[in-house]
Amino acid sequence: MNKRKLFAFSTAALMALTITSCGSSSDDELNSKVSDNSGGSKIIEMWSRGNETDTHAPSLIQALKDFGEEKGVEVKYQFIPHDDAPTKWNAAFASSTAPDVMDIGISHMIERINLKHIVPLNEYVETWEGKDDIYPAMLDLGSYKDDVYAIAHFPDPQIFAYRKDKFEEAGLDPESPPENWEQMLEYAEKLTERDDSGKVTFAGYAMPTQGARFVANIMIRQNGSLFADEENNQPTMVTPEATETFEYMNELYQYTTVFDNGKTDTHPLINNSGAMGYIPNGVLSNYLKNNPDMADKFGFASNVPGKESAAWCGVWFYTMTSQADDPDLAWDLIVHLTSTEVLETRVEEAGLPATFESVSKDFIEKDPAINTAIMDAVSVGAGNPKVSWSNLYEQELDAALESLFYGEKTAEEALTEAQNNLLKEID
């Protein structure tokens, strides 16, 4: 850890050393994998989404520099804005100028597998020491069928949060979140406030009107099922478990105010207009950081289980591309970037969680109340079903929930329409 703490360096000085940043180059330069290398050392290239001002960027750049020095290689890196990443990737693979290692999100994985842009890592994972340290749920998220394609390094779960002060006002135990679905519905009713016309003015449960797929993905797993058959790549929207999940969500919806889950600044939990619900951990953590007087008023849990425990968890992965010049070196870089030392530095400097148990203790110690819930959510975290039509799935799931919440369709009708629409597009 000592050399990590000697962190002060300028980007200009760094670029003069082992790492070469391509972040501000022209497109031709960005797509040039091998540049002038008069020193004759081997080159390895890594692309990450985001930019150099992101909180995780300084520790990543330092880790890349350290790897280059340790291996005696030149490490080139590039940060790509999230919205531009798929286009950049496609252009690079088409022109055979893709990097050796790249960071992708959970929503990208199946498409990159189908395009053969990333390769299985099984032969490396079998002897990888980190295999016993990474949370099993996170290793599973990077797997498809019988192959491991991606190593999760940064989880971004939604956690269950509630207002302790509002619990106390409603006669509920402020130290005890609901233990199951039935209790959560009971609490939601007690916590809801309405005006004389019956309109909800304070949400007992924050159920998004738009973007509710995140809650649905959590709750269908908590109900012991999925909206898709991953093995056969087919939708399974019309099942008793799916109908039961939709009907339960619709019951909770009567205790909410209107908000869009995609617009996090409108979330009732951070607008003093809601008592409990799921919220991205980063959104809530930043809110509490900026509003320290509210910290004691919140309680946290990883999730409120139904038949099972489950939490929504977005994930960032490191992957090896099919155009890696030296697969062994590319794997060594992934191992380095997910090492305890590198991730502990990221926890220390950026306060971000990791997907490895050895690092979770340091993260939890930073803020035990909320970070314990975050890591518990990581341990049971899951995402969208692993299907090739993931984007279409999200659209249909959101549309089905909106038609349910607005009373246009019953749960069964909304799910049937979604099932039929998906089948038309993917058959």
Side-chain angles (χ1 to χ4, degrees):
M1 293 292 292
N2 289 339
K3 68 178 180 179
R4 294 292 195 279
K5 293 179 180 178
L6 298 175
F7 187 68
F9 61 91
S10 68
T11 301
L14 178 62
M15 292 172 64
L17 293 171
T18 306
I19 291 185
T20 303
S21 169
C22 304
S24 59
S25 304
S26 68
D27 283 345
D28 288 343
E29 290 172 323
L30 292 177
N31 288 330
S32 178
K33 190 169 184 179
V34 180
S35 61
D36 177 35
N37 187 27
S38 57
S41 65
K42 190 172 289 187
I43 295 174
I44 184 167
E45 187 168 4
M46 186 267 181
W47 288 4
S48 180
R49 293 166 302 145
N51 58 68
E52 293 187 45
T53 62
D54 291 342
T55 55
H56 73 281
S59 60
L60 172 59
I61 294 171
Q62 183 64 40
L64 293 170
K65 173 181 179 292
D66 292 342
F67 180 80
E69 292 176 348
E70 178 184 330
K71 294 289 186 178
V73 299
E74 180 182 357
V75 183
K76 299 177 68 177
Y77 70 89
Q78 179 185 158
F79 287 91
I80 305 172
H82 288 265
D83 291 344
D84 297 341
T87 300
K88 289 282 189 181
W89 295 337
N90 292 339
F93 281 99
S95 59
S96 298
T97 55
D100 303 277
V101 173
M102 66 182 193
D103 152 79
I104 67 172
I106 191 170
S107 62
H108 306 123
M109 190 175 76
I110 301 303
E111 181 182 21
R112 295 301 131 185
I113 291 172
N114 290 337
L115 290 170
K116 301 187 185 306
H117 288 175
I118 59 177
V119 298
L121 303 172
N122 299 39
E123 63 177 294
Y124 296 106
V125 171
E126 285 176 3
T127 57
W128 175 43
E129 291 183 2
K131 181 175 66 173
D132 297 325
D133 188 24
I134 192 170
Y135 283 97
M138 297 295 101
L139 186 61
D140 179 70
L141 282 176
S143 303
Y144 182 59
K145 297 187 176 179
D146 296 326
D147 294 313
V148 179
Y149 282 90
I151 304 300
H153 65 94
F154 170 42
D156 187 23
Q158 294 200 10
I159 61 172
F160 183 82
Y162 66 97
R163 286 282 296 272
K164 289 183 175 183
D165 54 335
K166 296 297 181 179
F167 267 48
E168 194 165 12
E169 290 173 14
L172 301 171
D173 184 351
E175 301 303 323
S176 299
E179 296 180 355
N180 51 50
W181 281 14
E182 182 180 2
Q183 199 171 70
M184 185 156 66
L185 193 61
E186 174 191 336
Y187 286 14
E189 183 177 8
K190 289 182 178 180
L191 291 159
T192 298
E193 299 174 13
R194 302 178 186 271
D195 62 19
D196 292 340
S197 69
K199 180 182 178 181
V200 174
T201 55
F202 186 87
Y205 182 89
M207 175 67 74
T209 306
Q210 296 176 278
R213 66 180 182 275
F214 294 102
V215 182
N217 275 309
I218 295 168
M219 289 189 168
I220 188 63
R221 290 180 183 273
Q222 291 172 349
N223 206 24
S225 187
L226 290 176
F227 291 121
D229 178 348
E230 295 178 320
E231 187 67 27
N232 295 303
N233 200 41
Q234 291 293 308
T236 55
M237 305 290 283
V238 186
T239 65
E241 294 84 1
T243 301
E244 185 178 31
T245 299
F246 262 45
E247 289 175 344
Y248 178 74
M249 291 178 67
N250 202 32
E251 286 190 84
L252 282 174
Y253 185 72
Q254 66 183 303
Y255 302 120
T256 195
T257 53
V258 175
F259 77 100
D260 182 348
N261 203 50
K263 298 177 180 178
T264 52
D265 59 341
T266 69
H267 198 291
L269 282 173
I270 61 174
N271 275 343
N272 198 34
S273 60
M276 60 181 182
Y278 289 98
I279 185 169
N281 79 88
V283 172
L284 186 56
S285 295
N286 287 335
Y287 169 77
L288 295 176
K289 180 180 179 181
N290 295 325
N291 299 272
D293 57 311
M294 294 295 293
D296 293 338
K297 295 181 180 181
F298 277 88
F300 317 97
S302 63
N303 72 109
V304 177
K307 297 172 185 174
E308 302 175 7
S309 288
W312 170 264
C313 191
V315 181
W316 291 32
F317 298 105
Y318 291 129
T319 61
M320 183 192 302
T321 77
S322 56
Q323 294 184 9
D325 290 333
D326 185 337
D328 290 345
L329 185 62
W331 172 250
D332 286 346
L333 178 57
I334 292 173
V335 170
H336 176 73
L337 294 177
T338 57
S339 66
T340 299
E341 183 179 7
V342 168
L343 294 179
E344 282 180 341
T345 300
R346 190 175 74 187
V347 168
E348 180 182 345
E349 296 174 354
L352 298 176
T355 55
F356 293 81
E357 294 188 38
S358 63
V359 186
S360 63
K361 182 179 178 182
D362 287 351
F363 177 70
I364 289 171
E365 286 177 352
K366 279 188 164 294
D367 190 344
I370 188 171
N371 288 354
T372 297
I374 290 171
M375 295 315 303
D376 285 346
V378 170
S379 70
V380 294
N384 280 350
K386 297 171 184 175
V387 291
S388 60
W389 32 273
S390 181
N391 290 337
L392 182 61
Y393 164 82
E394 291 184 346
Q395 296 169 19
E396 289 298 330
L397 186 53
D398 271 342
L401 287 163
E402 286 185 41
S403 67
L404 173 70
F405 294 155
Y406 286 121
E408 298 168 357
K409 293 182 176 65
T410 66
E412 189 172 351
E413 289 169 345
L415 287 162
T416 298
E417 181 175 63
Q419 173 84 1
N420 291 338
N421 289 343
L422 287 168
L423 288 173
K424 286 177 187 176
E425 292 296 327
I426 66 179
D427 282 351

PDB file of all heavy atoms in Angstrom, residues 148-166:
ATOM      1  N   VAL A 148     -16.880 -18.020 -18.453  1.00  0.00           N
ATOM      2  CA  VAL A 148     -16.648 -16.732 -17.797  1.00  0.00           C
ATOM      3  C   VAL A 148     -16.045 -15.797 -18.836  1.00  0.00           C
ATOM      4  O   VAL A 148     -14.986 -16.076 -19.401  1.00  0.00           O
ATOM      5  CB  VAL A 148     -15.697 -16.866 -16.595  1.00  0.00           C
ATOM      6  CG1 VAL A 148     -15.463 -15.506 -15.957  1.00  0.00           C
ATOM      7  CG2 VAL A 148     -16.252 -17.848 -15.570  1.00  0.00           C
ATOM      8  N   TYR A 149     -16.730 -14.699 -19.082  1.00  0.00           N
ATOM      9  CA  TYR A 149     -16.270 -13.740 -20.085  1.00  0.00           C
ATOM     10  C   TYR A 149     -15.757 -12.432 -19.487  1.00  0.00           C
ATOM     11  O   TYR A 149     -15.086 -11.673 -20.179  1.00  0.00           O
ATOM     12  CB  TYR A 149     -17.408 -13.393 -21.049  1.00  0.00           C
ATOM     13  CG  TYR A 149     -17.690 -14.430 -22.100  1.00  0.00           C
ATOM     14  CD1 TYR A 149     -18.613 -15.441 -21.860  1.00  0.00           C
ATOM     15  CD2 TYR A 149     -17.057 -14.404 -23.339  1.00  0.00           C
ATOM     16  CE1 TYR A 149     -18.895 -16.391 -22.821  1.00  0.00           C
ATOM     17  CE2 TYR A 149     -17.331 -15.351 -24.314  1.00  0.00           C
ATOM     18  CZ  TYR A 149     -18.250 -16.347 -24.047  1.00  0.00           C
ATOM     19  OH  TYR A 149     -18.520 -17.293 -25.001  1.00  0.00           O
ATOM     20  N   ALA A 150     -16.118 -12.163 -18.238  1.00  0.00           N
ATOM     21  CA  ALA A 150     -15.837 -10.833 -17.699  1.00  0.00           C
ATOM     22  C   ALA A 150     -15.602 -10.920 -16.196  1.00  0.00           C
ATOM     23  O   ALA A 150     -16.259 -11.697 -15.502  1.00  0.00           O
ATOM     24  CB  ALA A 150     -17.011  -9.906 -17.994  1.00  0.00           C
ATOM     25  N   ILE A 151     -14.665 -10.123 -15.719  1.00  0.00           N
ATOM     26  CA  ILE A 151     -14.347 -10.082 -14.292  1.00  0.00           C
ATOM     27  C   ILE A 151     -14.907  -8.786 -13.701  1.00  0.00           C
ATOM     28  O   ILE A 151     -14.460  -7.689 -14.043  1.00  0.00           O
ATOM     29  CB  ILE A 151     -12.825 -10.166 -14.062  1.00  0.00           C
ATOM     30  CG1 ILE A 151     -12.254 -11.431 -14.717  1.00  0.00           C
ATOM     31  CG2 ILE A 151     -12.534 -10.133 -12.563  1.00  0.00           C
ATOM     32  CD1 ILE A 151     -12.839 -12.737 -14.207  1.00  0.00           C
ATOM     33  N   ALA A 152     -15.884  -8.939 -12.836  1.00  0.00           N
ATOM     34  CA  ALA A 152     -16.522  -7.782 -12.216  1.00  0.00           C
ATOM     35  C   ALA A 152     -15.548  -7.099 -11.258  1.00  0.00           C
ATOM     36  O   ALA A 152     -14.858  -7.771 -10.491  1.00  0.00           O
ATOM     37  CB  ALA A 152     -17.781  -8.226 -11.464  1.00  0.00           C
ATOM     38  N   HIS A 153     -15.520  -5.770 -11.291  1.00  0.00           N
ATOM     39  CA  HIS A 153     -14.614  -5.057 -10.376  1.00  0.00           C
ATOM     40  C   HIS A 153     -15.315  -3.925  -9.621  1.00  0.00           C
ATOM     41  O   HIS A 153     -14.926  -3.590  -8.515  1.00  0.00           O
ATOM     42  CB  HIS A 153     -13.396  -4.503 -11.129  1.00  0.00           C
ATOM     43  CG  HIS A 153     -13.715  -3.455 -12.147  1.00  0.00           C
ATOM     44  ND1 HIS A 153     -13.661  -2.110 -11.867  1.00  0.00           N
ATOM     45  CD2 HIS A 153     -14.075  -3.560 -13.458  1.00  0.00           C
ATOM     46  CE1 HIS A 153     -13.979  -1.418 -12.962  1.00  0.00           C
ATOM     47  NE2 HIS A 153     -14.243  -2.267 -13.941  1.00  0.00           N
ATOM     48  N   PHE A 154     -16.357  -3.338 -10.216  1.00  0.00           N
ATOM     49  CA  PHE A 154     -17.048  -2.232  -9.554  1.00  0.00           C
ATOM     50  C   PHE A 154     -18.552  -2.484  -9.568  1.00  0.00           C
ATOM     51  O   PHE A 154     -19.181  -2.412 -10.612  1.00  0.00           O
ATOM     52  CB  PHE A 154     -16.723  -0.910 -10.252  1.00  0.00           C
ATOM     53  CG  PHE A 154     -17.562   0.259  -9.799  1.00  0.00           C
ATOM     54  CD1 PHE A 154     -17.865   0.448  -8.454  1.00  0.00           C
ATOM     55  CD2 PHE A 154     -18.057   1.170 -10.712  1.00  0.00           C
ATOM     56  CE1 PHE A 154     -18.648   1.513  -8.037  1.00  0.00           C
ATOM     57  CE2 PHE A 154     -18.835   2.242 -10.308  1.00  0.00           C
ATOM     58  CZ  PHE A 154     -19.135   2.408  -8.965  1.00  0.00           C
ATOM     59  N   PRO A 155     -19.145  -2.788  -8.409  1.00  0.00           N
ATOM     60  CA  PRO A 155     -20.592  -3.000  -8.349  1.00  0.00           C
ATOM     61  C   PRO A 155     -21.322  -1.704  -8.029  1.00  0.00           C
ATOM     62  O   PRO A 155     -20.802  -0.840  -7.323  1.00  0.00           O
ATOM     63  CB  PRO A 155     -20.729  -3.991  -7.182  1.00  0.00           C
ATOM     64  CG  PRO A 155     -19.620  -3.592  -6.253  1.00  0.00           C
ATOM     65  CD  PRO A 155     -18.490  -3.057  -7.130  1.00  0.00           C
ATOM     66  N   ASP A 156     -22.528  -1.580  -8.540  1.00  0.00           N
ATOM     67  CA  ASP A 156     -23.331  -0.385  -8.289  1.00  0.00           C
ATOM     68  C   ASP A 156     -24.758  -0.811  -7.966  1.00  0.00           C
ATOM     69  O   ASP A 156     -25.660  -0.672  -8.801  1.00  0.00           O
ATOM     70  CB  ASP A 156     -23.298   0.531  -9.506  1.00  0.00           C
ATOM     71  CG  ASP A 156     -23.978   1.870  -9.243  1.00  0.00           C
ATOM     72  OD1 ASP A 156     -24.077   2.258  -8.067  1.00  0.00           O
ATOM     73  OD2 ASP A 156     -24.416   2.519 -10.222  1.00  0.00           O
ATOM     74  N   PRO A 157     -24.979  -1.349  -6.769  1.00  0.00           N
ATOM     75  CA  PRO A 157     -26.306  -1.872  -6.448  1.00  0.00           C
ATOM     76  C   PRO A 157     -27.303  -0.793  -6.039  1.00  0.00           C
ATOM     77  O   PRO A 157     -26.914   0.304  -5.642  1.00  0.00           O
ATOM     78  CB  PRO A 157     -26.025  -2.798  -5.260  1.00  0.00           C
ATOM     79  CG  PRO A 157     -24.873  -2.133  -4.568  1.00  0.00           C
ATOM     80  CD  PRO A 157     -24.025  -1.551  -5.674  1.00  0.00           C
ATOM     81  N   GLN A 158     -28.579  -1.131  -6.162  1.00  0.00           N
ATOM     82  CA  GLN A 158     -29.614  -0.349  -5.518  1.00  0.00           C
ATOM     83  C   GLN A 158     -29.878  -0.999  -4.169  1.00  0.00           C
ATOM     84  O   GLN A 158     -29.960  -2.219  -4.068  1.00  0.00           O
ATOM     85  CB  GLN A 158     -30.892  -0.319  -6.358  1.00  0.00           C
ATOM     86  CG  GLN A 158     -30.729   0.419  -7.673  1.00  0.00           C
ATOM     87  CD  GLN A 158     -32.057   0.863  -8.260  1.00  0.00           C
ATOM     88  OE1 GLN A 158     -33.093   0.801  -7.623  1.00  0.00           O
ATOM     89  NE2 GLN A 158     -32.019   1.336  -9.501  1.00  0.00           N
ATOM     90  N   ILE A 159     -29.995  -0.178  -3.134  1.00  0.00           N
ATOM     91  CA  ILE A 159     -30.248  -0.712  -1.804  1.00  0.00           C
ATOM     92  C   ILE A 159     -31.607  -0.216  -1.305  1.00  0.00           C
ATOM     93  O   ILE A 159     -32.175   0.732  -1.850  1.00  0.00           O
ATOM     94  CB  ILE A 159     -29.151  -0.311  -0.798  1.00  0.00           C
ATOM     95  CG1 ILE A 159     -29.069   1.208  -0.645  1.00  0.00           C
ATOM     96  CG2 ILE A 159     -27.810  -0.907  -1.221  1.00  0.00           C
ATOM     97  CD1 ILE A 159     -28.145   1.666   0.473  1.00  0.00           C
ATOM     98  N   PHE A 160     -32.119  -0.890  -0.299  1.00  0.00           N
ATOM     99  CA  PHE A 160     -33.375  -0.484   0.325  1.00  0.00           C
ATOM    100  C   PHE A 160     -33.056   0.526   1.432  1.00  0.00           C
ATOM    101  O   PHE A 160     -32.228   0.265   2.295  1.00  0.00           O
ATOM    102  CB  PHE A 160     -34.099  -1.683   0.911  1.00  0.00           C
ATOM    103  CG  PHE A 160     -35.438  -1.345   1.514  1.00  0.00           C
ATOM    104  CD1 PHE A 160     -36.557  -1.221   0.712  1.00  0.00           C
ATOM    105  CD2 PHE A 160     -35.573  -1.147   2.880  1.00  0.00           C
ATOM    106  CE1 PHE A 160     -37.792  -0.892   1.253  1.00  0.00           C
ATOM    107  CE2 PHE A 160     -36.801  -0.826   3.441  1.00  0.00           C
ATOM    108  CZ  PHE A 160     -37.917  -0.705   2.617  1.00  0.00           C
ATOM    109  N   ALA A 161     -33.696   1.680   1.360  1.00  0.00           N
ATOM    110  CA  ALA A 161     -33.475   2.729   2.371  1.00  0.00           C
ATOM    111  C   ALA A 161     -34.819   3.182   2.918  1.00  0.00           C
ATOM    112  O   ALA A 161     -35.850   3.107   2.234  1.00  0.00           O
ATOM    113  CB  ALA A 161     -32.722   3.901   1.764  1.00  0.00           C
ATOM    114  N   TYR A 162     -34.800   3.651   4.143  1.00  0.00           N
ATOM    115  CA  TYR A 162     -36.044   4.111   4.752  1.00  0.00           C
ATOM    116  C   TYR A 162     -35.757   5.240   5.737  1.00  0.00           C
ATOM    117  O   TYR A 162     -34.647   5.362   6.257  1.00  0.00           O
ATOM    118  CB  TYR A 162     -36.774   2.960   5.446  1.00  0.00           C
ATOM    119  CG  TYR A 162     -36.053   2.385   6.651  1.00  0.00           C
ATOM    120  CD1 TYR A 162     -36.371   2.784   7.952  1.00  0.00           C
ATOM    121  CD2 TYR A 162     -35.041   1.433   6.500  1.00  0.00           C
ATOM    122  CE1 TYR A 162     -35.713   2.260   9.058  1.00  0.00           C
ATOM    123  CE2 TYR A 162     -34.379   0.901   7.594  1.00  0.00           C
ATOM    124  CZ  TYR A 162     -34.722   1.317   8.873  1.00  0.00           C
ATOM    125  OH  TYR A 162     -34.059   0.799   9.967  1.00  0.00           O
ATOM    126  N   ARG A 163     -36.775   6.046   5.990  1.00  0.00           N
ATOM    127  CA  ARG A 163     -36.656   7.177   6.891  1.00  0.00           C
ATOM    128  C   ARG A 163     -37.012   6.738   8.311  1.00  0.00           C
ATOM    129  O   ARG A 163     -38.162   6.460   8.637  1.00  0.00           O
ATOM    130  CB  ARG A 163     -37.585   8.287   6.431  1.00  0.00           C
ATOM    131  CG  ARG A 163     -37.094   9.030   5.194  1.00  0.00           C
ATOM    132  CD  ARG A 163     -35.997  10.023   5.538  1.00  0.00           C
ATOM    133  NE  ARG A 163     -36.519  11.061   6.415  1.00  0.00           N
ATOM    134  CZ  ARG A 163     -37.085  12.177   5.988  1.00  0.00           C
ATOM    135  NH1 ARG A 163     -37.196  12.422   4.689  1.00  0.00           N
ATOM    136  NH2 ARG A 163     -37.537  13.080   6.860  1.00  0.00           N
ATOM    137  N   LYS A 164     -36.005   6.711   9.178  1.00  0.00           N
ATOM    138  CA  LYS A 164     -36.224   6.308  10.565  1.00  0.00           C
ATOM    139  C   LYS A 164     -37.193   7.251  11.283  1.00  0.00           C
ATOM    140  O   LYS A 164     -38.036   6.811  12.074  1.00  0.00           O
ATOM    141  CB  LYS A 164     -34.897   6.290  11.318  1.00  0.00           C
ATOM    142  CG  LYS A 164     -33.942   5.178  10.931  1.00  0.00           C
ATOM    143  CD  LYS A 164     -32.705   5.244  11.809  1.00  0.00           C
ATOM    144  CE  LYS A 164     -31.765   4.096  11.552  1.00  0.00           C
ATOM    145  NZ  LYS A 164     -30.591   4.129  12.453  1.00  0.00           N
ATOM    146  N   ASP A 165     -37.070   8.548  11.013  1.00  0.00           N
ATOM    147  CA  ASP A 165     -37.937   9.499  11.697  1.00  0.00           C
ATOM    148  C   ASP A 165     -39.397   9.298  11.320  1.00  0.00           C
ATOM    149  O   ASP A 165     -40.303   9.418  12.161  1.00  0.00           O
ATOM    150  CB  ASP A 165     -37.486  10.936  11.409  1.00  0.00           C
ATOM    151  CG  ASP A 165     -37.385  11.258   9.923  1.00  0.00           C
ATOM    152  OD1 ASP A 165     -37.188  10.325   9.120  1.00  0.00           O
ATOM    153  OD2 ASP A 165     -37.497  12.444   9.558  1.00  0.00           O
ATOM    154  N   LYS A 166     -39.634   8.948  10.042  1.00  0.00           N
ATOM    155  CA  LYS A 166     -41.010   8.717   9.603  1.00  0.00           C
ATOM    156  C   LYS A 166     -41.553   7.403  10.169  1.00  0.00           C
ATOM    157  O   LYS A 166     -42.747   7.291  10.460  1.00  0.00           O
ATOM    158  CB  LYS A 166     -41.076   8.713   8.079  1.00  0.00           C
ATOM    159  CG  LYS A 166     -40.719  10.050   7.446  1.00  0.00           C
ATOM    160  CD  LYS A 166     -41.707  11.135   7.838  1.00  0.00           C
ATOM    161  CE  LYS A 166     -41.378  12.465   7.201  1.00  0.00           C
ATOM    162  NZ  LYS A 166     -42.356  13.521   7.573  1.00  0.00           N
TER     163      LYS A 166
END
